């Protein structure tokens, strides 16, 4: 037995994207991807990746760790008050 109660016609597209609209979007993206510039020599020989690695290393080495003051715990403070 087929469920025809919730069946929609083949032309029903709740988001408004029918097959024609989807094909147009695919063509638009394909043309944008085709326009991507070729990689530079720095990307090809790896020197850009090496510079990036050195920058990351330098930032990590020069980063300052925030130090927070040490405070006594609340339970220690309450015990001191009680005595």
């Amino acid at each position: 037995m087929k469920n025809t109660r919730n069946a929609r016609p083949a032309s029903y597209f709740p988001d408004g994207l029918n097959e024609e609209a989807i094909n147009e979007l695919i063509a638009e993206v394909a043309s944008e991807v085709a326009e991507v510039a070729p990689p530079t020599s720095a990307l090809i020989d790896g020197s850009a990746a090496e510079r990036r690695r050195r920058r990351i290393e330098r930032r990590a080495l020069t980063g300052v760790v925030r130090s927070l003051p040490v405070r006594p715990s609340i339970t220690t403070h309450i015990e001191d008050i009680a005595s």
Side-chain angles (χ1 to χ4, degrees), residues 10-67:
S11 61
Y12 176 74
F13 304 100
D15 56 5
L17 293 175
N18 58 17
E19 188 174 354
E20 182 181 338
I22 291 171
N23 287 337
E24 287 175 17
L25 289 170
I26 291 171
E28 183 180 331
V29 169
S31 68
E32 288 177 10
V33 170
E35 296 171 3
V36 174
T40 63
S41 60
L43 290 174
I44 292 171
D45 70 9
S47 61
E50 181 61 25
R51 284 195 313 268
R52 180 177 184 270
R53 186 191 62 72
R54 284 194 306 258
R55 276 195 314 269
I56 291 170
E57 242 176 44
R58 188 173 56 246
R59 288 176 187 152
L61 292 173
T62 60
V64 177
V65 177
R66 183 175 153 206
S67 62

Side-chain angles (χ1 to χ4, degrees), residues 69-83:
V70 176
R71 296 182 183 174
S73 68
I74 293 174
T75 55
T76 305
H77 185 66
I78 292 172
E79 289 171 358
D80 291 342
I81 293 172
S83 54

